[in-house]
Amino acid sequence: MSALRILVPVKRVIDYAVKPRVNKAQTAVETAGVKHSMNPFDELSVEESVRIREKKRAPGGVEDICAISAGPTKAQDILRTAMAMGADRGIHVEVKEGDDLEPLTVAKMLKAAAEQQKSNLVILGKQSIDDDSAQTGQMLAGLLGWSQATQASKVEFGEGDSVTVTKEVDGGVETVRAKLPLVVTTDLRLNEPRYASLPNIMKAKKKKLDKLTLKDFGLENEKRLKVLKVTEPPARQGGGKVEDVDGLVSKLKELGAL
Amino acid sequence: MRNGNRRRRRNLGPRPPGLPVCRLCRLRHLLKPPQSRTRPTLILVDEGDGGNEDEAGKSSHQSTLAARPPTTRTHTMLFAARRVLLGRAVSPIGSSGYRGRFLSTLAILEQRGGQLNAGSLSAFTAAKKLGGTVHGFIAGSSVSAAAAQAAKVEGVEQIVTVENEAYEKGLPENYAPLLVENIKKGNYTHVVGGHTAFGKNVLPRVAALLDSQQISDITGVQDDKTFVRPIYAGNAIATIESSDAVKIITIRGTAFAPATAEAGSASVVQGTDPKADSTTEWVSEDLAKSDRPDLATASKVVSGGRGLKSKEDFDKVMLPLADALGAAVGASRAAVDSGYADNSLQVGQTGKVVAPQLYMAVGISGAIQHLAGMKDSKVIAAINKDADAPIFQVADVGLVGDLFEKVPELTEKVKSS
């Protein structure tokens, strides 16, 4: 079996615990001064890559774990986090603040990166919690012509480059088998990401971080979608509380729900 | 009507005066980059190493050529476009000028073992909102019955079927090329599928093969290129406009009621089958079996959270209530992670999005990720012992109390009423 060269794309997003606010001009969500962190599904990808190495799950071993992120300079913090969790090195693709890439552009960039880095396994999060698109991994697999296994809850390696992936689907799980090279996207059940320890955070500062731009991949930030407006969702009116179960039942009847 | 020339002509804008002449074909660039046009396969051409060409005066086409070495096909296509231009006067058609004229939508239907997934008929509802002709697509080992059922949907002109065992499990490696072939053959301007496990798996791959930026999980259609979709776990609603020639769209099932199969009489035709091999192999599946209504489409949902304490308690408290109400059972992520309920029951940003008539949240605090999956419900009821739980801010009716007392009492009262 070939040794694994894993590419782990990570994205810097508004922290999952922060309630996003729409800006006054209704053009986007307010990001200035808001806590950001690594997209939770990407933490799962980093964790899985590191575990594949630590638990020696792949017969061919793991040769390289490379984290990659496209975004403003601050995306480097996220790459350092990935390296503190166990990634060997990072690639930062600098994109101007507020000049977000669409999933198709990210997929094209990752295709070029995967080819350049000679990756044979790309592990992505199943979606980013800001845009909620759930596209990049599938698009990447399509562009590369590789197999894909989305929403993985279990990844097992067999002989002869075969990989068996259990996927979360509507109503249960489904298991598929593919050969490397492969694109996997992670689902919440895959693992529980570790916290980076202080010594590892210090070590991560010494790991290699390459800085590139989209041009280095022969790409431009081409926008196919134009955001016309971003609004707050209609607020729900809390209907108040009732004293007891009888009150609950009669209120539900009044609302026509029973 | 949709022959190749017309289709190309439609995409041509007025001659942009400021653009430099392409040094390869000496045409001023009237075409956008060829990538998303009539030959989506062009994007499969390997990217060359020409990304460092000079920046000045790049036309949109040049920049594409910079990334991909020109092929004879590219130029054949450009000359064809030129012929069209020189041969006929082209009225200045802006990017939106073609709206409603040649619009045709392919709705992707899901099936399992020959049975049409009724929820996937929502794709027809969304497709009809776009205007233009509506076709359906269904593939699998035996799909004639499902196709006949779908053909009864009013306003649908055609159901395209492909019968082949290879597509039964919807593996994206062969299903995506299958769709691409049929989308190209039908010259569709829009492709609509559900934002389900299947749609999420296959359609982005299709979009990439067609070089189109997919629009995911829409909840509204404003016109044929403007859509509404929630972002940030439903904490913001974005209105977006797509400039792609072929728009690949996934829809949120709860936002579009499934079309009913009644008096329609669509023709059923055979689609093309490129017979691409799948590089993955389907091994097995393990689906939770349940006699209760399906979570995604149920009119009532009772959902349990961490407050249920254990799987035994979850089953003891929630299931009788669900049965008394005729409701589907859901769960919060906390309950699923603690093993109280199956993963497939999770409601929220990372689980299912539901919008039933009644959503009853039991022992659920109401984190934003959970609210993302249920706040479009008509009526939300909450039972929680913490009077300050955020769920009470969205609940139409809230009851503060111990769920182990209140829920059995409620079950009894619902049964007896």
Side-chain angles (χ1 to χ4, degrees):
Chain A
M1 172 152 177
S2 21
L4 289 179
R5 293 182 58 84
I6 309 176
L7 187 68
V8 191
V10 293
K11 184 176 184 184
R12 175 176 177 267
V13 298
I14 292 183
D15 191 85
Y16 72 94
V18 174
K19 187 174 161 52
R21 300 272 171 212
V22 172
N23 66 13
K24 281 215 181 69
Q26 296 203 323
T27 53
V29 161
E30 201 62 69
T31 52
V34 177
K35 186 186 174 197
H36 283 65
S37 46
M38 193 192 297
N39 180 37
F41 293 104
D42 300 344
E43 291 185 350
L44 298 166
S45 336
V46 179
E47 177 68 31
E48 191 67 12
S49 320
V50 177
R51 282 192 194 186
I52 292 168
R53 168 187 280 157
E54 286 176 349
K55 303 246 178 352
K56 299 189 168 48
R57 276 162 43 194
V62 176
E63 190 181 299
D64 178 49
I65 301 173
C66 176
I68 180 168
S69 188
T73 316
K74 283 179 180 155
Q76 291 178 8
D77 302 348
I78 304 303
L79 286 167
R80 292 286 174 206
T81 308
M83 290 189 267
M85 288 172 73
D88 299 320
R89 59 202 176 92
I91 298 174
H92 175 224
V93 182
E94 173 96 33
V95 176
K96 276 206 307 283
E97 181 89 47
D99 198 15
D100 296 337
L101 306 184
E102 288 172 1
L104 186 60
T105 312
V106 178
K108 288 176 182 174
M109 177 199 88
L110 291 175
K111 172 183 188 272
E115 283 165 354
Q116 190 189 70
Q117 302 298 323
K118 300 188 170 52
S119 313
N120 53 8
L121 178 63
V122 185
I123 309 183
L124 306 90
K126 75 163 177 180
Q127 72 189 65
S128 67
I129 60 164
D130 50 359
D131 189 49
D132 284 335
S133 279
Q135 299 171 359
T136 309
Q138 296 88 309
M139 287 182 155
L140 173 64
L143 294 177
L144 285 164
W146 291 7
S147 303
Q148 70 185 56
T150 51
Q151 303 189 209
S153 59
K154 198 170 172 192
V155 181
E156 293 168 295
F157 295 86
E159 289 304 318
D161 281 358
S162 94
V163 187
T164 306
V165 181
T166 304
K167 308 163 47 182
E168 305 249 332
V169 295
D170 301 336
V173 293
E174 182 182 86
T175 304
V176 295
R177 189 178 301 130
K179 276 187 189 283
L180 295 176
L182 174 68
V183 173
V184 173
T185 73
T186 64
D187 208 330
L188 277 176
R189 242 64 62 180
L190 185 62
N191 58 48
E192 226 169 280
R194 69 192 64 193
Y195 289 100
S197 67
L198 189 59
N200 284 340
I201 293 172
M202 301 312 290
K203 272 185 220 154
K205 291 190 174 161
K206 297 207 178 76
K207 289 183 179 174
K208 193 169 151 227
L209 180 68
D210 288 327
K211 288 172 200 146
L212 298 173
T213 61
L214 279 180
K215 278 201 198 81
D216 295 324
F217 295 113
L219 291 169
E220 276 176 60
N221 186 5
E222 186 194 359
K223 302 248 188 190
R224 311 291 187 81
L225 304 180
K226 189 162 117 195
V227 179
L228 302 179
K229 192 171 65 171
V230 177
T231 53
E232 297 271 355
R236 271 196 92 97
Q237 295 251 310
K241 291 169 189 155
V242 292
E243 287 301 311
D244 52 20
V245 173
D246 287 324
L248 181 69
V249 172
S250 60
K251 187 80 193 285
L252 286 178
K253 281 190 176 148
E254 192 186 304
L255 292 167
L258 274 187
Chain B
M1 286 303 280
R2 284 189 302 273
N3 60 42
N5 278 352
R6 273 189 180 274
R7 193 175 150 75
R8 276 178 205 134
R9 187 157 68 93
R10 190 199 68 206
N11 291 325
L12 300 174
R15 181 178 286 238
L19 287 180
V21 175
C22 171
R23 66 200 151 72
L24 289 157
C25 61
R26 300 182 177 206
L27 262 182
R28 280 181 199 277
H29 270 301
L30 306 152
L31 287 170
K32 286 186 133 192
Q35 48 203 20
S36 63
R37 300 292 139 177
T38 46
R39 300 220 189 280
T41 41
L42 274 177
I43 61 145
L44 295 178
V45 174
D46 277 343
E47 296 199 355
D49 196 19
N52 297 322
E53 305 244 346
D54 60 322
E55 289 308 300
K58 264 190 189 177
S59 74
S60 56
H61 174 200
Q62 272 180 306
S63 65
T64 316
L65 291 176
R68 300 178 186 94
T71 62
T72 0
R73 278 176 102 184
T74 316
H75 278 78
T76 312
M77 188 174 126
L78 286 168
F79 289 134
R82 188 182 187 182
R83 273 199 301 279
V84 171
L85 275 171
L86 297 176
R88 305 177 195 181
V90 176
S91 60
I93 304 169
S95 61
S96 62
Y98 67 92
R99 182 182 303 167
R101 275 204 274 161
F102 298 103
L103 205 146
S104 63
T105 303
L106 186 65
I108 313 300
L109 303 173
E110 296 176 34
Q111 62 92 33
R112 170 176 292 275
Q115 291 277 316
L116 183 68
N117 174 348
S120 69
L121 291 175
S122 294
F124 279 140
T125 313
K128 285 193 219 165
K129 285 197 177 162
L130 290 163
T133 55
V134 177
H135 292 182
F137 181 86
I138 189 161
S141 49
S142 167
V143 294
S144 51
Q149 194 189 337
K152 292 205 183 82
V153 174
E154 193 106 26
V156 175
E157 279 188 16
Q158 200 175 78
I159 306 292
V160 180
T161 62
V162 175
E163 285 213 338
N164 185 339
E165 172 70 33
Y167 305 120
E168 179 61 22
K169 300 297 181 188
L171 294 168
E173 292 82 359
N174 60 4
Y175 208 107
L178 168 73
L179 274 176
V180 168
E181 282 302 307
N182 284 283
I183 291 164
K184 282 201 274 186
K185 187 184 165 209
N187 276 333
Y188 297 103
T189 54
H190 294 72
V191 178
V192 178
H195 197 64
T196 55
F198 169 82
K200 280 190 269 188
N201 197 17
V202 173
L203 286 175
R205 192 166 175 122
V206 172
L209 294 176
L210 292 171
D211 197 39
S212 174
Q213 172 53 58
Q214 181 181 308
I215 308 138
S216 284
D217 204 20
I218 64 162
T219 53
V221 173
Q222 284 198 347
D223 59 41
D224 63 309
K225 60 186 167 75
T226 317
F227 309 96
V228 177
R229 61 179 299 262
I231 52 174
Y232 288 92
N235 282 294
I237 309 294
T239 307
I240 47 173
E241 188 183 279
S242 163
S243 58
D244 276 318
V246 182
K247 296 172 184 63
I248 312 287
I249 300 159
T250 61
I251 57 159
R252 180 168 289 196
T254 56
F256 301 91
T260 44
E262 277 163 1
S265 54
S267 57
V268 176
V269 302
Q270 274 195 5
T272 41
D273 186 353
K275 293 195 166 70
D277 279 331
S278 176
T279 48
T280 58
E281 174 197 346
W282 185 88
V283 178
S284 65
E285 67 188 357
D286 183 9
L287 301 182
K289 289 197 178 56
S290 167
D291 301 331
R292 294 189 184 81
D294 176 47
L295 180 57
T297 52
S299 69
K300 290 173 186 158
V301 173
V302 294
S303 220
R306 200 198 302 272
L308 269 310
K309 300 278 196 295
S310 71
K311 176 159 175 51
E312 290 68 37
D313 288 331
F314 191 98
D315 291 351
K316 199 173 75 196
V317 173
M318 298 304 293
L319 302 188
L321 177 64
D323 293 337
L325 286 166
V329 178
S332 72
R333 183 181 166 194
V336 169
D337 280 352
S338 313
Y340 305 170
D342 190 78
N343 293 345
S344 60
L345 300 185
Q346 185 181 326
V347 173
Q349 185 181 17
T350 60
K352 288 227 169 50
V353 177
V354 300
Q357 292 293 320
L358 170 64
Y359 187 87
M360 191 170 285
V362 176
I364 291 176
S365 64
I368 54 174
Q369 292 81 10
H370 185 75
L371 299 182
M374 46 62 85
K375 67 180 172 181
D376 292 327
S377 307
K378 284 273 177 328
V379 175
I380 297 175
I383 301 177
N384 204 304
K385 66 179 175 191
D386 175 9
D388 297 326
I391 190 78
F392 287 121
Q393 289 164 19
V394 299
D396 298 286
V397 46
L399 176 61
V400 179
D402 182 4
L403 66 92
F404 291 103
E405 280 170 31
K406 303 293 182 190
V407 175
E409 191 184 339
L410 176 64
T411 307
E412 283 311 308
K413 292 205 162 123
V414 170
K415 265 193 203 158
S416 62
S417 67

